[in-house]
């Protein structure tokens, strides 16, 4: 069973700070990586994808990938209370697979 | 485009009863997934369809769960008989064939088994 590991949190940050969410995965051949946001009582929503080593920025969100370390992270700059949610890391269980294996998620609370 | 449709939104049943969930994927999406999400955990894949064929059902508890996707469009997931530990949100997701750009989830069905 391919593993995707995340700290369950909760992670609390003050409004305006940078929130850093981390994820490690076990399958070295994984080629694509995704971050989903899940508000309480709602279904997961895709917010970021990253396929190459390095950083990918989209507004206040930056995804960082290090395939050698099997590590992917999500940074949220200028955190807002509306960012309070559970963030799920998702990775395909092998090259060429289209299904996703999810971590348990990290619960983020942004304190006003 | 219309999203992934699921029904019902909520269901409460007694243990040993049966229940069925329905999913209509985004138009044109050949791949359909059913996930189970227990409270406090990440979604866990139950079954993956490509058109009307099963690609992966290795984590589906086949003694009580069944799923079908007739005509490669709508899908139903059935539990019979239900156990207390089946209480969870059942999520359906779809994606275009041959692409891994992530996928879109429906709103889910929250099942409570009492």
């Amino acid at each position: 069973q391919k593993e995707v590991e995340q700290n369950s949190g909760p992670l609390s940050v003050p409004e305006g700070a940078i929130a850093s969410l981390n994820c490690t995965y076990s399958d070295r051949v994984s080629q694509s990586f995704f971050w989903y946001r899940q508000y309480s009582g709602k279904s997961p929503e895709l917010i970021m994808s990253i396929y190459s080593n390095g950083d990918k920025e989209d507004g206040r969100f930056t995804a960082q990938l290090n395939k050698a370390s099997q590590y992917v992270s999500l940074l949220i700059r200028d955190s807002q209370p509306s960012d309070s949610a559970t963030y799920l890391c998702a990775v395909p269980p092998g090259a060429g697979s289209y299904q996703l294996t999810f971590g348990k998620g990290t619960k983020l609370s942004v304190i006003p | 485009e219309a999203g992934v449709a699921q029904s019902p939104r909520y269901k409460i049943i007694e243990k040993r009863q049966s229940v069925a969930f329905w999913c209509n994927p985004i138009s044109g999406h050949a791949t359909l997934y059913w996930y189970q999400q227990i409270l406090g955990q990440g979604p866990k894949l139950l079954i993956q369809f490509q058109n009307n064929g099963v690609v992966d059902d290795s984590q589906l508890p086949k003694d009580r769960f069944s799923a079908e996707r007739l005509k490669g469009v709508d899908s139903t997931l059935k539990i019979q008989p239900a156990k207390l530990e089946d209480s969870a949100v059942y999520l359906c997701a779809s994606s275009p064939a041959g692409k891994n750009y992530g996928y879109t989830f429906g709103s889910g069905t929250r099942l409570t088994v009492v």
Side-chain angles (χ1 to χ4, degrees):
Chain A
Q1 179 69 29
K2 307 301 183 183
E3 298 287 335
V4 179
E5 300 287 343
Q6 296 181 255
N7 289 328
S8 59
L11 173 66
S12 294
V13 300
E15 184 174 355
I18 296 175
S20 178
L21 305 162
N22 304 315
C23 172
T24 59
Y25 58 93
S26 63
D27 193 336
R28 286 193 163 272
V29 300
S30 294
Q31 296 295 313
S32 51
F33 307 87
F34 303 91
W35 283 99
Y36 283 77
R37 177 177 60 201
Q38 187 172 29
Y39 291 114
S40 180
K42 302 294 185 181
S43 60
E45 170 195 14
L46 179 64
I47 57 171
M48 286 288 286
S49 59
I50 187 166
Y51 305 94
S52 304
N53 277 329
D55 295 358
K56 177 183 177 182
E57 188 174 316
D58 183 0
R60 296 186 296 111
F61 297 93
T62 298
Q64 299 177 317
L65 175 60
N66 184 325
K67 290 184 180 180
S69 300
Q70 296 175 238
Y71 177 92
V72 59
S73 65
L74 179 70
L75 301 179
I76 306 174
R77 291 183 302 280
D78 188 23
S79 295
Q80 301 296 309
S82 59
D83 296 325
S84 298
T86 295
Y87 290 81
L88 298 160
C89 175
V91 180
S97 175
Y98 301 122
Q99 63 180 250
L100 295 177
T101 298
F102 285 81
K104 290 186 175 182
T106 299
K107 186 172 183 178
L108 172 67
S109 293
V110 181
I111 311 301
Chain B
E1 65 182 357
V4 177
Q6 287 190 249
S7 67
R9 285 299 309 276
Y10 306 93
K11 192 74 176 178
I12 301 175
I13 62 172
E14 295 182 350
K15 60 184 179 184
R16 292 187 290 274
Q17 285 187 325
S18 63
V19 64
F21 313 126
W22 172 82
C23 173
N24 180 249
I26 292 172
S27 178
H29 281 193
T31 310
L32 185 147
Y33 310 84
W34 282 102
Y35 279 80
Q36 178 193 59
Q37 187 174 25
I38 293 172
L39 187 64
Q41 298 184 19
K44 171 190 162 187
L45 180 71
L46 292 175
I47 189 167
Q48 176 186 351
F49 290 96
Q50 178 86 2
N51 296 310
N52 60 353
V54 176
V55 174
D56 184 356
D57 62 357
S58 59
Q59 298 186 82
L60 187 72
K62 298 181 188 63
D63 58 335
R64 296 184 302 106
F65 286 65
S66 64
E68 61 181 6
R69 189 181 184 195
L70 298 176
K71 300 180 181 179
V73 182
D74 293 6
S75 177
T76 56
L77 175 70
K78 297 180 182 178
I79 308 175
Q80 182 179 10
K83 293 185 175 181
L84 296 176
E85 58 261 37
D86 298 331
S87 294
V89 176
Y90 291 84
L91 296 162
C92 179
S94 69
S95 66
K99 298 182 185 299
N100 200 350
Y101 300 147
Y103 38 71
T104 304
F105 284 96
S107 55
T109 296
R110 182 177 298 276
L111 174 67
T112 302
V113 182
V114 298

